């Protein structure tokens, strides 16, 4: 018996990843991206190399800074989701920049030490 399968989700958008939460010298930072999550993972790796420590996402932490890395939305729904995510951010980056990650981590450590 042949029959067509119902389409459950016809969008080609990747699933939305939960933001990564990091502690940089006592400063809690969340990093998310509006794309497939690869950019935020790359940026998180750079922050960890600069001295950040990953925090369990289930822990109840007060975020000091929210960083969003822009992506290219593939559908109108993804565009709306990206706009809402960027609107709630403290900083929106065009891409995951290793130099910025190092400078940001050192600035966070200075804020805590001053």
């Amino acid at each position: 018996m042949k029959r067509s399968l119902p389409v459950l989700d016809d969008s080609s958008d990747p699933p939305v990843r939960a933001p990564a939460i990091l502690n940089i010298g006592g400063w809690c930072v969340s990093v998310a991206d509006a794309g497939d999550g690869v950019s935020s993972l790359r940026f998180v790796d750079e922050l960890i190399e600069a001295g950040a420590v990953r925090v369990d996402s289930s822990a109840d932490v007060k975020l000091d800074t929210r960083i969003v890395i822009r992506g290219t939305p593939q559908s109108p729904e993804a565009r709306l989701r990206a706009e809402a995510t960027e609107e709630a951010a403290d900083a929106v980056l065009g891409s995951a920049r290793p130099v910025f990650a190092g400078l940001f981590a050192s600035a966070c450590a200075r804020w805590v030490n001053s």
Side-chain angles (χ1 to χ4, degrees):
M1 176 158 80
K2 290 185 179 181
R3 61 185 166 136
S4 61
L5 295 173
V7 177
L8 299 177
D9 183 9
D10 61 352
S11 73
S12 60
D13 297 325
V16 178
R17 295 188 119 176
I21 300 174
L22 302 154
N23 186 320
I24 308 171
W27 200 261
C28 283
V29 178
S30 84
V31 179
D33 71 50
D36 58 1
V38 173
S39 296
S40 61
L41 289 176
R42 189 171 334 146
F43 191 72
V44 164
D45 288 342
E46 296 295 334
L47 287 173
I48 289 172
E49 282 186 30
V53 176
R54 196 179 280 271
V55 175
D56 184 15
S57 60
S58 65
D60 187 27
V61 296
K62 179 188 168 289
L63 295 175
D64 297 304
T65 305
R66 290 174 179 83
I67 298 174
V68 173
I69 302 170
R70 280 203 168 125
T72 306
Q74 302 297 322
S75 69
E77 294 83 13
R79 190 172 304 114
L80 289 173
R81 190 172 53 240
E83 288 173 3
T85 303
E86 290 177 11
E87 189 175 304
D90 296 308
V92 179
L93 305 177
S95 63
R97 303 274 183 197
V99 173
F100 178 77
L103 292 172
F104 182 76
S106 67
C108 288
R110 245 180 287 155
W111 290 333
V112 171
N113 294 329
S114 59

